[in-house]
Amino acid sequence: MAERKLLVLFGSQTGTAQDTAERIGREAKRRHLRCRVEALDSCDVANLIHEPLVVFVCATTGQGDPPDNMKMFWRFLFRKNLPAGSLCQLDYAVLGLGDSSYPKFNFVAKKLHKRVLQLGGNPLLPVALGDDQHDLGPDAVVDPWLVALWDKILALYPLPPGLEIISPDVRLPPRYTLHYLPEDSPQPDSDLLQPTAPRDDPCELRPFAARMVSNQRVTAQSHFQDVRLIEFDIVGSGITFSAGDVVMIQPQNCPEDVQQFCQLLRLEPDRRFVLEPTEPGTSLPPLLPQPCTIRYLVTHYLDISCVPRRSFFELLCYFSTNELEREKLQEFSSAQGQEELYSYCNRPRRTTLEALWDFPHTTCAIPADYLLDLIPRIRPRAFSIASSMLAHPEQMQILVAVVRYKTRLSKPRRGLCSTWLASLNPEQGDVRVPLWVKKGTMKFPADPGTPVIMIGPGTGVAPFRAAIQERVALGRRGNCLFFGCRHKSKDFYCQTEWEELVTKGFLTLFTAFSRDQEEKVYVQHRIRENGRLVWELLSTGNAHVYLAG
């Protein structure tokens, strides 16, 4: 009998596609299939020709682009020299997650489905197009599609004699077992980030621990928005970047939240443990030292401030000993309860930690082994680099608006990464931030004669500061910037820098301070007022136009 094995491959930007892929993995286990769940770029594409059964789960980002963790796979798949029948032994299905308010709705899933078909693959089902805009979210499409998928798969690979589908009432084993080490076992020197050895370019799996040099507030104290200009020292990192590139920063949870979490779950922060995979072949989570402390796990790895997903409540149900709590958790896990879950979690942006507070009986019964199944890892955050290496060699600067807003919950919502960065004070000692650089999508003209029109309201001006510094260092004029903010006296970032460049003839600057007069004035008004100049730059100067919000 053919081996009953399934490979689930995902391309995920924000974690939704990964969450769905892991759900398919759990449902496969209930049907006694050997199943691996991997990011598309982690799998060896050449081995696809040996796989009998693959489910692809992929999101679409930006303007129809593939997520970061499937970009290499995408390039390989569309190589012209792949033979037409190379995937003729493959049964496959594609599940797309998108948002129909974007013009290129589920573009990646549609294109992937078509390409695998071209290469000889045999589709089990039509491509599924999950839509964030649907009242019930993508699950409105995903739920019925999965029912049909399992019917197809079980027809091809029937259950072995004597085995039945494991009931949803039965809890599956965790992915990892947590083995506590004896209290008196020797301590490792430090589980802090060590600066990367320069032989490797820093990346997500090997970030560079950059020293923070300065953390300066660039809005007036009386202004509602706290914006920081932060500088890092990248000496010896091997990092290079140009205007338009992006820095990825790996944030961490604040000590108060970590302490609360440990109290709620009755965990000892300083206990050390090693992880063991439950199934052979499961790799250990990257970036977690072995052995590791509970404090390190909760601070650097578990995203306790993210808004929990349906799968979180599904797993919580199994630990609940309290009937009231269990009923509520079951409702949140059901297809019918999704609207209720949306108003409990998504609308007020309730965090995982706050949800755990609301289910105290269940929370204190969560076995530590299940922590990595229950809570996703903290994702890195992207910031436009706001400086040029030509102007500031060995340095990197970013412009960060500290995210803070109100919902119906009494406590203001705070952005994890921006709040953490703002809290760091390099004057109080050596402050390190794990980071690496990614190529941006903005490319500035190579021809020194090409003028550049940049429209950057608010912190959207960050990549243009890098571009202007770079172009000025190369002696290029023809830089035209439209900048907008609320008040000239409160949030006019880099004012002196811009004014100096205007004086030296390197910059033409138009400003719109929306709240400094009765009627609001925005960058689009300034563009209209200077329409003749803009048109001249476009028609005779062949100018490039860039816009960042």
Side-chain angles (χ1 to χ4, degrees):
M1 188 177 148
E3 193 186 356
R4 304 178 73 253
K5 67 170 190 170
L6 165 68
L7 176 60
V8 183
L9 296 173
F10 63 86
S12 186
Q13 196 71 22
T14 59
T16 312
Q18 180 174 349
D19 185 67
T20 305
E22 285 167 354
R23 170 185 170 184
I24 296 171
R26 290 191 296 274
E27 293 190 8
K29 282 202 180 98
R30 294 192 181 279
R31 289 159 180 81
H32 306 280
L33 284 144
R34 262 190 48 217
C35 180
R36 289 198 342 268
V37 179
E38 288 181 12
L40 276 152
D41 278 354
S42 308
C43 91
D44 183 354
V45 196
N47 281 341
L48 266 189
I49 58 168
H50 306 303
E51 290 293 341
L53 180 61
V54 177
V55 176
F56 298 94
V57 184
C58 46
T60 296
T61 67
Q63 303 302 313
D65 304 312
D68 290 338
N69 62 6
M70 67 177 279
K71 281 195 159 62
M72 294 184 318
F73 167 84
W74 198 243
R75 277 198 294 274
F76 180 88
L77 194 70
F78 286 93
R79 273 167 43 175
K80 297 272 191 292
N81 60 356
L82 294 183
S86 48
L87 296 179
C88 59
Q89 82 317 323
L90 177 71
D91 288 325
Y92 76 99
V94 178
L95 164 52
L97 295 169
D99 183 322
S100 58
S101 65
Y102 284 82
K104 295 207 165 174
F105 171 56
N106 263 316
F107 182 74
V108 171
K110 292 172 188 169
K111 203 169 168 184
L112 173 65
H113 184 79
K114 204 167 154 189
R115 180 60 174 155
V116 177
L117 189 60
Q118 255 177 7
L119 295 172
N122 168 45
L124 295 178
L125 288 172
V127 57
L129 306 174
D131 184 7
D132 248 357
Q133 292 297 317
H134 192 285
D135 288 347
L136 298 173
D139 287 346
V141 167
V142 175
D143 290 357
W145 187 84
L146 282 179
V147 171
L149 178 73
W150 293 122
D151 285 348
K152 292 273 187 195
I153 290 177
L154 288 180
L156 290 170
Y157 300 95
L159 284 165
L163 284 181
E164 295 198 353
I165 295 176
I166 299 169
S167 149
D169 305 333
V170 176
R171 176 170 97 197
L172 291 172
R175 250 182 314 183
Y176 305 102
T177 322
L178 218 105
H179 292 287
Y180 284 117
L181 299 178
E183 309 254 349
D184 53 2
S185 61
Q187 293 282 352
D189 297 342
S190 158
D191 57 16
L192 287 173
L193 257 169
Q194 297 306 323
T196 314
R199 63 174 193 281
D200 292 320
D201 275 346
C203 61
E204 183 160 7
L205 295 181
R206 283 187 313 276
F208 176 71
R211 185 174 64 85
M212 185 184 278
V213 179
S214 62
N215 184 350
Q216 176 198 351
R217 179 171 171 141
V218 288
T219 44
Q221 288 298 331
S222 59
H223 190 56
F224 78 100
Q225 174 88 74
D226 180 358
V227 176
R228 303 298 177 99
L229 182 65
I230 297 176
E231 183 172 313
F232 300 106
D233 177 355
I234 54 167
V235 173
S237 65
I239 288 176
T240 57
F241 58 87
S242 44
D245 286 349
V246 166
V247 62
M248 305 299 293
I249 291 182
Q250 184 65 46
Q252 59 187 60
N253 291 310
C254 70
E256 302 78 60
D257 285 356
V258 172
Q259 194 185 342
Q260 266 193 25
F261 181 86
C262 291
Q263 281 171 349
L264 270 173
L265 276 85
R266 303 184 180 170
L267 296 165
E268 294 173 46
D270 296 316
R271 273 308 289 274
R272 290 164 63 243
F273 64 87
V274 288
L275 283 180
E276 271 183 28
T278 318
E279 286 187 5
T282 307
S283 51
L284 288 169
L287 297 172
L288 263 192
Q290 288 267 60
C292 182
T293 63
I294 291 286
R295 188 190 309 280
Y296 188 96
L297 172 74
V298 184
T299 304
H300 298 277
Y301 198 85
L302 299 180
D303 196 353
I304 58 177
S305 75
C306 72
V307 175
R309 303 173 189 273
R310 176 177 168 182
S311 57
F312 169 84
F313 296 97
E314 261 167 30
L315 186 49
L316 268 191
C317 279
Y318 291 109
F319 312 127
S320 193
T321 47
N322 175 287
E323 201 165 325
L324 271 175
E325 287 186 10
R326 192 167 55 245
E327 274 175 17
K328 197 68 192 163
L329 291 166
Q330 280 165 343
E331 183 189 355
F332 286 161
S333 316
S334 69
Q336 302 73 43
Q338 290 315 288
E339 218 158 302
E340 187 70 18
L341 177 60
Y342 189 84
S343 12
Y344 171 72
C345 272
N346 304 64
R347 200 166 282 124
R349 310 302 298 164
R350 194 184 302 272
T351 68
T352 294
L353 182 58
E354 288 168 328
L356 291 170
W357 270 110
D358 286 347
F359 295 91
H361 298 90
T362 308
T363 296
C364 67
I366 297 170
D369 288 344
Y370 280 93
L371 286 176
L372 285 105
D373 294 88
L374 190 64
I375 300 169
R377 71 175 179 88
I378 299 174
R379 296 198 163 254
R381 308 306 204 250
F383 295 91
S384 291
I385 298 173
S387 61
S388 161
M389 291 192 96
L390 299 181
H392 303 273
E394 311 286 6
Q395 309 273 302
M396 177 197 288
Q397 297 175 352
I398 56 173
L399 199 58
V400 179
V402 182
V403 177
R404 186 174 190 267
Y405 58 95
K406 281 289 292 172
T407 64
R408 63 181 170 77
L409 302 177
S410 57
K411 210 174 153 193
R413 308 291 87 194
R414 292 175 186 275
L416 175 67
C417 190
S418 60
T419 305
W420 172 61
L421 287 172
S423 75
L424 301 173
N425 183 355
E427 288 165 21
Q428 287 180 355
D430 190 37
V431 172
R432 299 275 169 172
V433 171
L435 52 78
W436 63 98
V437 166
K438 260 177 40 181
K439 276 277 152 247
T441 49
M442 273 188 192
K443 297 277 177 280
F444 292 89
D447 177 358
T450 307
V452 172
I453 300 169
M454 294 161 279
I455 305 151
T459 52
V461 80
F464 303 138
R465 182 172 182 257
I468 291 165
Q469 285 184 0
E470 196 164 285
R471 288 171 60 84
V472 169
L474 295 168
R476 294 179 185 174
R477 295 177 187 266
N479 304 306
C480 174
L481 173 66
F482 288 89
F483 173 75
C485 65
R486 290 192 173 209
H487 304 278
K488 183 176 182 176
S489 62
K490 290 185 177 178
D491 54 341
F492 186 2
Y493 316 132
C494 315
Q495 178 179 359
T496 22
E497 192 176 327
W498 302 139
E499 288 169 350
E500 266 175 37
L501 292 174
V502 170
T503 312
K504 290 178 183 165
F506 276 108
L507 181 66
T508 308
L509 175 69
F510 299 102
T511 51
F513 305 113
S514 63
R515 308 296 199 276
D516 277 353
Q517 58 287 308
E518 270 299 294
E519 69 296 337
K520 290 178 182 161
V521 176
Y522 297 113
V523 283
Q524 57 267 37
H525 298 119
R526 295 291 182 239
I527 294 169
R528 193 177 288 132
E529 286 164 19
N530 297 281
R532 181 170 290 177
L533 165 75
V534 172
W535 174 243
E536 197 175 299
L537 287 172
L538 289 171
S539 57
T540 57
N542 212 2
H544 291 198
V545 181
Y546 299 86
L547 174 68

